[in-house]
Amino acid sequence: MAHAKPDGYTLVFGTAATHGSNAALYKKLNFDVEADFVPVAPILDVSNVLTINPDVINVKTLKEFVDTVKANPGKFNFASTGNGTGTHMAFAEFNARLGLDMVHVPYKGGPEAITAVLKGETCCIMNQVQTVLSHYKADKVRLLGVTTIKRVSAISEVPTISESGLNGTRNFDSSIWFAVFALALKNAFAKIWPNCACLQGLGYLHVN
């Protein structure tokens, strides 16, 4: 697709992985994100939330979580939906910013990763809100902080990580975004697309 003729009508659906982190994670890609594509419009921005199993790490606030992990370097494992995925990158950035020493355990996908947390194989995960919401409502997990700047309406009682005020968390903003790209930009796209009827009804995804 990247090497197709740029006619202004061919659109590409891109994600935080395909048009974001992959460029940093892989030495060679068969396209150049910046040279081959032009961003047209964002579609949605999915928040992750720091989700813990209180039977593994019994804390109630983000500060308590950070203090406990710092006091036990290398003891706690965090799950992700795979190497290089949004859930991995969010936690990696969090750990780097706060100087936390945790062990990364990648799983094949979302169901396996959240099941590992529920079973106590790992202490925690930064996963999409819709993935952990039912477990949260059932009091099986605790939610300590949303990874985006804004809170999520479905869990408005849960503060953002940035709100915590902890050193290293200022303006913490990690999400899994989806957007439309084109090979040649038609200016009309940028004006019309954000108002497209196809974007309505995405509220159930608990996105920003």
Side-chain angles (χ1 to χ4, degrees):
M1 182 63 72
H3 306 294
K5 183 178 179 180
D7 56 10
Y9 296 96
T10 302
L11 298 178
V12 177
F13 184 74
T15 70
T18 61
H19 287 69
S21 59
N22 280 0
L25 293 172
Y26 299 101
K27 292 182 179 180
K28 286 188 177 181
L29 295 175
N30 61 3
F31 62 90
D32 185 315
V33 172
E34 294 185 3
D36 295 334
F37 296 99
V38 179
V40 174
I43 296 179
L44 53 89
D45 202 18
V46 182
S47 300
N48 288 321
V49 59
L50 175 51
T51 305
I52 68 163
N53 181 331
D55 292 332
V56 180
I57 182 167
N58 189 18
V59 298
K60 295 183 178 180
T61 67
L62 189 64
K63 183 180 185 306
E64 290 178 356
F65 177 86
V66 171
D67 289 344
T68 300
V69 173
K70 281 189 173 182
N72 299 274
K75 176 182 177 179
F76 294 103
N77 301 334
F78 72 91
S80 81
T81 55
N83 285 315
T85 60
T87 57
H88 178 201
M89 294 294 97
F91 227 128
E93 180 183 355
F94 179 77
N95 287 342
R97 282 192 179 210
L98 282 86
L100 303 183
D101 180 8
M102 301 183 72
V103 179
H104 173 222
V105 183
Y107 289 85
K108 293 181 179 180
E112 293 87 353
I114 190 60
T115 298
V117 175
L118 293 172
K119 288 183 175 181
E121 294 176 6
T122 60
C123 78
C124 44
I125 188 172
M126 285 187 177
N127 211 347
Q128 298 172 21
V129 173
Q130 67 268 25
T131 301
V132 302
L133 189 58
S134 62
H135 305 301
Y136 171 58
K137 290 182 176 180
D139 292 325
K140 294 180 179 179
V141 296
R142 288 179 187 159
L143 307 183
L144 301 185
V146 174
T147 63
T148 43
I149 292 295
K150 295 182 180 180
R151 295 193 183 194
V152 176
S153 59
I155 50 169
S156 58
E157 70 280 8
V158 180
T160 67
I161 289 175
S162 182
E163 286 179 62
S164 70
L166 297 174
N167 289 335
T169 62
R170 183 179 180 183
N171 294 326
F172 187 92
D173 189 12
S174 179
S175 64
I176 301 174
W177 52 260
F178 300 83
V180 173
F181 293 80
L183 300 179
L185 179 65
K186 292 277 187 175
N187 290 333
F189 283 153
K191 296 179 181 179
I192 297 173
W193 193 261
N195 299 315
C196 178
C198 63
L199 301 184
Q200 298 177 9
L202 290 174
Y204 80 97
L205 291 174
H206 311 298
V207 300
N208 293 317

